């Protein structure tokens, strides 16, 4: 990245290469942000196995 010329004259010299670089950089930032966000979002989902486990434990601990 440091060797790339992102000055206005450098971009004018290679517009296709500069566009590809910016597109790739934005994809990289988006992917980096999505990586920790996906597991965090799944924490809000209901887990049927855990719910069944809690029901069984509740029945064993406090029988009616």
């Amino acid at each position: 990245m440091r060797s790339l010329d992102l000055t206005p004259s450098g971009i004018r010299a290679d517009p296709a290469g500069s566009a590809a670089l910016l597109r790739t950089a934005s994809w990289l930032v988006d992917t980096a942000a999505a990586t920790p966000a996906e597991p965090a979002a799944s924490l809000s989902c209901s887990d049927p196995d855990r719910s069944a486990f809690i029901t069984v434990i509740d029945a064993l601990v406090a029988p009616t």
Side-chain angles (χ1 to χ4, degrees), residues 14-26:
D14 184 16
S18 299
L21 173 67
L22 292 176
R23 185 175 50 252
T24 302
S26 65

Side-chain angles (χ1 to χ4, degrees), residues 2-60:
R2 293 177 189 200
S3 65
L4 299 173
D5 185 10
L6 296 177
T7 62
S9 61
I11 292 172
R12 280 192 293 274
D14 184 16
S18 299
L21 173 67
L22 292 176
R23 185 175 50 252
T24 302
S26 65
W27 172 83
L28 181 63
V29 170
D30 183 58
T31 302
T35 300
E38 289 172 3
S42 70
L43 291 175
S44 65
C45 296
S46 177
D47 183 0
D49 293 333
R50 184 178 185 285
S51 298
F53 175 77
I54 298 288
T55 302
V56 170
I57 294 299
D58 283 345
L60 292 173

